[in-house]
Amino acid sequence: MSKEQWNTSNRNYHFFLKIISVNFNGYQDQSLKNCNLQKYASNQSIIIDRISMLLSISLKGQSNTITIQTGDPKVVISKHIYGHFAEHLGRCIYGGFYVGEGNSNIPNVKGVRKDVIEALQKLKVPNLRWPGGCFADTYHWKDGIGPKESRPAIVNTWWGGVTEDNSFGTHDFLDMCELLGAEPYLAGNVGSGTVQDLSDWVQYVNFNGTSPMSKLRAQNGREKSWKVNFWGVGNEAWGCGGNMKPEYYANIYRQYATFMTDWTNTSKMFRIASGANSSDYNWTEVLMRDIPHNMVEGVALHHYSVIDWNNKGSATDFSEELYFKTMKTALRMEELVARHSTIMDKYDPQKKIALVVDEWGGWYNVEAETNPGFLYQQNTMRDAMIAGTTLNIFNNHADRVRVANLAQTINVLQSVILTKDEKMILTPTYHVMEMYNVHQDAKLLPVTIKSNDYVFGSEKLPAVSASASTDNNGVTHISLVNIDATKVQEVSIVFYGSKYQSVTGRILRGSKLQEYNSFETPEKIKPAPFKDAQLKDGSLSVKLPPFSVVVLELK
Ligand code: AHR
């Protein structure tokens, strides 16, 4: 037996002993309480069943094992983990969401594409972040209200140096959110704006009494306020938002937040401090230490799955080596969320302040012959792997991660939708988000995963990722991802607390990792019914094809 084989079987053995003792102690307690011989005997036979099942798993050594605690779930997976992000960047807003009221070629509602509205309604977008990104800290919201013909044109300095005519502004965005059934998340300008501007914006969109701003809103056609809950206080203050140091930003944050609402935040505003870049743990530490906790409801975190910022590689033409590297940076999200959460726990043990991952996703080189400042990229099964594993990480950390936003919704980075004139397609990432929306506002079921390795060269990653929840109707959903590029993964799932009678499922897979939906073949990748899940004696065995995402429903 090689050293590695010995380690694996030793690990399996200890895992097996641990499970048996958890089982046995649980049943022992119960038996003592009940003092019921019949029940005791039946418990013993359950224990023996579990032992033999676990023994067979352990001896096989090839199977992945997942245990799911179904009894008394406490944490709710906030639907806002499934949020999106729309920046004035490339063709996200113009051509993506908005094609103009006068457009007779592309069906629209007040200038917003009908096909996009339908697709996003189906996705159940819970919140939408706007207008940036880096753009947010250059954006002066008053430029985007009032008659469109008199709005000033500005230069979008961050993204391609193009002219921004401000034809899509506050009313357009907030009315669109109403159409989508999504809560708006407005990112305020701290980098180049003023405290007065941001406090005026809050009043303009949220205040129903008489004030200069509510009067102006009514003059512009909206009598009743929209009631915006989510507010970002700047974006990437450490970079494009002003190149600030955390101590300086914490002070600025306090100043801005003071004029957004009152001391007790009676308006129940959810204010989000511009957060760390990936592993800048000091940023989170300083913010948690220096911002009074009654002034902040969320602290942000941005992390992109990038191989190398100097050469991000093609979105569609990549080797398995590059795929492995992408997944390595994507799976780093687990460590980032855990470590930022640990810092937050130190200052906020009751977890009142949320970790808001308001930018995440894959980032590659732009497609050939497109404006480099527009960040337009295709979306393959690799992106489906990023989406599935990242959402599992967020679900499993739902006690702290309560808002997140995929970057970005349409035509930019890891989009869920791509458009080309009157055509629109849904990406593999769209399908993952749609399959996973069953977790929105469901109760998290804690999972323990023992995964085989996905080995590439001398490196390895866990092949299987999972999360589970129970919805209000008592239906359980399990989302599973096998990131292994070549191997099927067999998974044995054991439940503690429930016995299920039936299982159904859907799968998203492709014939190769590089596969994508194009405007010519828009339905190459789409979810299909999944048949490789079997319930036997209350346990589940699942066969996951290479690079696939599966969502199961158990009753
Ligand atoms: O999503 C693209 C850009 O990435 C955002 O504008 C910025 O916040 C981040 O650096």
Side-chain angles (χ1 to χ4, degrees):
M1 195 185 267
S2 72
K3 196 173 161 215
E4 192 156 69
Q5 277 169 326
W6 189 87
N7 280 339
T8 311
S9 73
N10 199 27
R11 258 203 327 258
N12 285 341
Y13 176 67
H14 282 286
F15 171 77
F16 154 59
L17 282 185
K18 204 168 148 199
I19 300 282
I20 291 172
S21 75
V22 166
N23 256 297
F24 191 72
N25 292 337
Y27 284 118
Q28 232 181 8
D29 286 354
Q30 211 187 329
S31 315
L32 282 175
K33 264 188 223 143
N34 293 335
C35 266
N36 175 329
L37 205 59
Q38 210 182 349
K39 209 165 202 172
Y40 182 78
S42 110
N43 284 344
Q44 296 313 302
S45 88
I46 295 171
I47 293 171
I48 291 163
D49 275 1
R50 291 269 154 88
I51 289 173
S52 38
M53 194 227 13
L54 288 163
L55 191 56
S56 80
I57 292 166
S58 174
L59 290 179
K60 258 201 245 160
Q62 291 305 309
S63 185
N64 304 276
T65 52
I66 297 178
T67 55
I68 303 184
Q69 308 290 335
T70 61
D72 195 24
K74 296 210 163 45
V75 176
V76 171
I77 299 174
S78 167
K79 65 177 178 182
H80 291 294
I81 284 176
Y82 291 83
H84 290 261
F85 172 31
E87 181 164 10
H88 284 238
L89 194 177
R91 295 187 302 110
C92 183
I93 297 295
Y94 300 108
F97 282 97
Y98 180 77
V99 287
E101 288 83 344
N103 194 315
S104 51
N105 293 333
I106 305 174
N108 64 83
V109 183
K110 288 204 215 160
V112 180
R113 298 178 72 117
K114 270 192 177 160
D115 50 3
V116 162
I117 296 171
E118 266 168 42
L120 293 181
Q121 282 172 341
K122 196 163 170 229
L123 203 53
K124 299 200 175 118
V125 172
N127 74 76
L128 188 58
R129 180 173 181 245
W130 178 84
C134 295
F135 180 77
D137 282 298
T138 65
Y139 184 63
H140 299 280
W141 68 271
K142 285 177 187 154
D143 291 347
I145 55 170
K148 296 205 173 183
E149 56 288 357
S150 38
R151 294 183 190 175
I154 58 160
V155 179
N156 190 331
T157 43
W158 282 111
W159 307 116
V162 293
T163 301
E164 159 66 61
D165 68 2
N166 277 303
S167 55
F168 189 87
T170 299
H171 288 249
D172 309 274
F173 174 69
L174 296 178
D175 290 350
M176 180 178 87
C177 284
E178 286 184 342
L179 278 175
L180 298 176
E183 275 197 49
Y185 166 2
L186 293 178
N189 180 350
V190 167
S192 70
T194 63
V195 175
Q196 181 72 56
D197 272 346
L198 186 51
S199 117
D200 279 354
W201 206 12
V202 173
Q203 226 186 71
Y204 188 87
V205 302
N206 277 357
F207 188 64
N208 268 325
T210 307
S211 81
M213 288 303 114
S214 53
K215 240 167 126 182
L216 186 59
R217 182 187 69 228
Q219 272 165 27
N220 288 330
R222 175 86 184 198
E223 194 72 43
K224 208 169 158 279
S225 75
W226 287 276
K227 203 86 198 79
V228 177
N229 183 32
F230 295 113
W231 290 88
V233 183
N235 168 73
E236 296 193 352
W238 42 265
C240 64
N243 280 305
M244 301 176 199
K245 291 189 171 169
E247 290 80 4
Y248 181 79
Y249 172 70
N251 274 336
I252 293 269
Y253 176 93
R254 294 162 65 125
Q255 186 189 5
Y256 273 78
T258 301
F259 296 95
M260 291 171 79
T261 179
D262 54 29
W263 292 113
T264 47
N265 188 12
T266 41
S267 48
K268 297 276 171 273
M269 197 179 261
F270 195 103
R271 293 157 296 180
I272 299 163
S274 167
N277 179 19
S278 293
S279 58
D280 183 355
Y281 299 113
N282 181 51
W283 187 275
T284 301
E285 178 91 39
V286 173
L287 262 48
M288 290 302 293
R289 188 193 66 205
D290 290 0
I291 298 175
H293 290 184
N294 63 344
M295 296 185 85
V296 60
E297 285 68 43
V299 169
L301 166 68
H302 288 181
H303 175 64
Y304 285 98
S305 306
V306 186
I307 300 166
D308 173 356
W309 282 105
N310 296 318
N311 184 13
K312 302 179 213 65
S314 158
T316 51
D317 183 11
F318 54 89
S319 60
E320 188 182 341
E321 184 187 356
L322 292 183
Y323 164 66
F324 188 91
K325 282 189 177 161
T326 307
M327 291 320 295
K328 199 170 157 188
T329 73
L331 294 182
R332 239 189 110 208
M333 186 65 91
E334 171 65 43
E335 181 192 331
L336 295 173
V337 165
R339 290 187 61 184
H340 284 287
S341 297
T342 304
I343 295 164
M344 294 177 81
D345 287 350
K346 190 166 103 186
Y347 295 95
D348 171 32
Q350 289 179 310
K351 300 184 190 291
K352 289 191 175 148
I353 300 172
L355 182 60
V356 174
V357 191
D358 53 11
E359 286 186 31
W360 67 272
W363 191 324
Y364 317 109
N365 291 336
V366 298
E367 296 301 326
E369 287 156 40
T370 65
N371 186 327
F374 280 15
L375 311 186
Y376 176 74
Q377 63 188 42
Q378 247 297 354
N379 195 292
T380 65
M381 280 307 295
R382 169 170 64 173
D383 297 283
M385 297 296 102
I386 298 177
T389 51
T390 304
L391 293 170
N392 280 341
I393 293 169
F394 293 162
N395 285 348
N396 290 329
H397 286 276
D399 58 342
R400 184 63 87 175
V401 181
R402 297 197 286 270
V403 184
N405 302 80
L406 172 65
Q408 299 193 4
T409 321
I410 312 181
N411 296 331
V412 171
L413 301 178
Q414 191 174 340
S415 310
V416 290
I417 289 175
L418 299 175
T419 65
K420 190 175 171 190
D421 304 322
E422 72 290 351
K423 290 188 182 163
M424 182 206 79
I425 55 171
L426 306 176
T427 66
T429 302
Y430 174 95
H431 294 303
V432 174
M433 299 279 297
E434 186 273 320
M435 287 163 74
Y436 272 55
N437 69 23
V438 290
H439 291 303
Q440 290 191 14
D441 282 344
K443 288 204 183 104
L444 176 71
L445 301 179
V447 296
T448 309
I449 307 166
K450 189 192 141 286
S451 169
N452 288 339
D453 293 327
Y454 163 33
V455 181
F456 187 83
S458 56
E459 293 198 87
K460 57 189 181 192
L461 294 170
V464 175
S465 132
S467 67
S469 69
T470 292
D471 68 17
N472 283 338
N473 302 317
V475 179
T476 292
H477 294 100
I478 309 174
S479 42
L480 296 155
V481 188
N482 172 15
I483 65 163
D484 198 305
T486 53
K487 286 195 189 122
V488 171
Q489 295 294 339
E490 293 187 18
V491 188
S492 304
I493 304 178
V494 188
F495 303 96
Y496 293 106
S498 303
K499 197 152 182 169
Y500 297 100
Q501 306 303 326
S502 70
V503 59
T504 53
R506 290 202 294 160
I507 182 168
L508 191 77
R509 61 185 300 197
S511 60
K512 54 181 186 158
L513 264 167
Q514 295 78 0
E515 202 159 70
Y516 56 88
N517 291 334
S518 68
F519 292 97
E520 293 69 42
T521 51
E523 301 217 344
K524 217 173 199 176
I525 299 171
K526 60 177 182 184
F530 180 67
K531 302 278 177 225
D532 266 336
Q534 261 84 46
L535 263 174
K536 196 172 166 240
D537 301 328
S539 299
L540 191 61
S541 19
V542 187
K543 232 183 235 176
L544 298 174
F547 57 92
S548 62
V549 179
V550 166
V551 176
L552 301 174
E553 178 166 307
L554 289 110
K555 288 180 183 161

